[in-house]
Amino acid sequence: MTGPLPIGLTGGIGSGKSSAATMFQSLGVPVLDLDRVGHEVVAPGSDGLNQLIQTFGQSMLNCDGSLNRAALAAHCFGSAEETARLNALMHPLIWQAEALWLEKQHTPYVIIEASVLLESGGAGRMYGVIVLLADESLRLQRVLARGDRDAKAFAAIVARQCSDETRRAEANWLIDNNGSIEALQQQVTVLHREISATL
């Protein structure tokens, strides 16, 4: 593999992925947020959005021509077959954007942040995987405090994500984020030194 080594950063909803990613970034490590990339590849006027509409129909559009994510989620996530169709369309678009971004980076390693890295089979594209773990009750508290989702939405997302047992089995490095932001910072700093020393 030429260029920077991609290291995946993942964990369940509310585990603190974004906080950890920001800390890696402050240490000079480029970070690519695949969840954000997933939004960008289906922006209004994009080929990705056109493919989605051809596959799932015009009812997936808002009046302004943007993707109606709620309608798409309602259509796909109740059906394994429709979810598979959506993934088959989205994953190659995201992987292509990831590959183009990687070509432009010039550090020893980069962080690829993704909430469903393991579920999508993305670990196979990574040099290694960092998993953030936190108790589900604490993760729920954090999500409710953000104010963008309620307990029902949290439970639905947890049900679609893999278990902590699976995450532990897939992880090359584990970060325990049941403590303070300072404790998280300390673990990220130590891990950055450890990874840098092996490259």
Side-chain angles (χ1 to χ4, degrees):
M1 182 182 284
T2 57
L5 295 175
I7 292 181
L9 176 67
T10 192
I13 180 172
S15 60
K17 290 183 301 298
S18 297
S19 297
T22 301
M23 291 170 183
F24 275 105
Q25 218 159 13
S26 71
L27 294 167
V29 183
V31 174
L32 180 66
D33 179 352
L34 287 195
D35 296 343
R36 194 188 73 238
V37 171
H39 282 69
E40 291 172 353
V41 296
V42 289
S46 66
D47 288 343
L49 183 58
N50 291 337
Q51 289 179 48
L52 273 183
I53 299 314
Q54 286 169 17
T55 304
F56 297 107
Q58 291 285 334
S59 61
M60 300 301 152
L61 281 179
N62 291 312
C63 297
D64 63 359
S66 64
L67 177 63
N68 184 331
R69 295 181 181 283
L72 184 65
H75 176 79
C76 291
F77 292 140
S79 158
E81 187 180 333
E82 291 299 275
T83 299
R85 285 176 78 200
L86 176 63
N87 289 341
L89 194 158
M90 289 294 295
H91 289 167
L93 294 172
I94 292 169
W95 296 338
Q96 184 181 22
E98 178 189 289
L100 290 171
W101 179 83
L102 266 173
E103 286 175 10
K104 298 173 186 168
Q105 308 310 313
H106 304 288
T107 51
Y109 80 96
V110 298
I111 292 289
I112 308 290
E113 178 193 351
S115 55
V116 290
L117 183 74
L118 305 181
E119 294 87 341
S120 66
R125 303 194 314 281
M126 301 296 129
Y127 171 73
V129 175
I130 302 166
V131 168
L132 273 95
L133 293 175
D135 295 341
E136 193 170 312
S137 57
L138 179 57
R139 287 164 45 205
L140 173 60
Q141 279 178 35
R142 289 173 180 158
V143 170
L144 294 178
R146 293 199 304 239
D148 57 347
R149 290 187 174 92
D150 59 15
K152 186 178 176 184
F154 173 84
I157 291 170
V158 168
R160 290 202 303 270
Q161 294 183 337
C162 66
S163 67
D164 279 350
E165 288 71 27
T166 300
R167 292 188 184 107
R168 284 179 187 278
E170 295 275 346
N172 299 89
W173 303 277
L174 287 170
I175 292 178
D176 180 328
N177 194 22
N178 283 304
S180 65
I181 198 78
E182 291 80 13
L184 177 61
Q185 178 72 69
Q186 185 178 15
Q187 290 181 82
V188 167
T189 302
V190 169
L191 189 50
H192 170 60
R193 287 196 201 114
E194 184 185 318
I195 292 170
S196 299
T198 66
L199 302 179

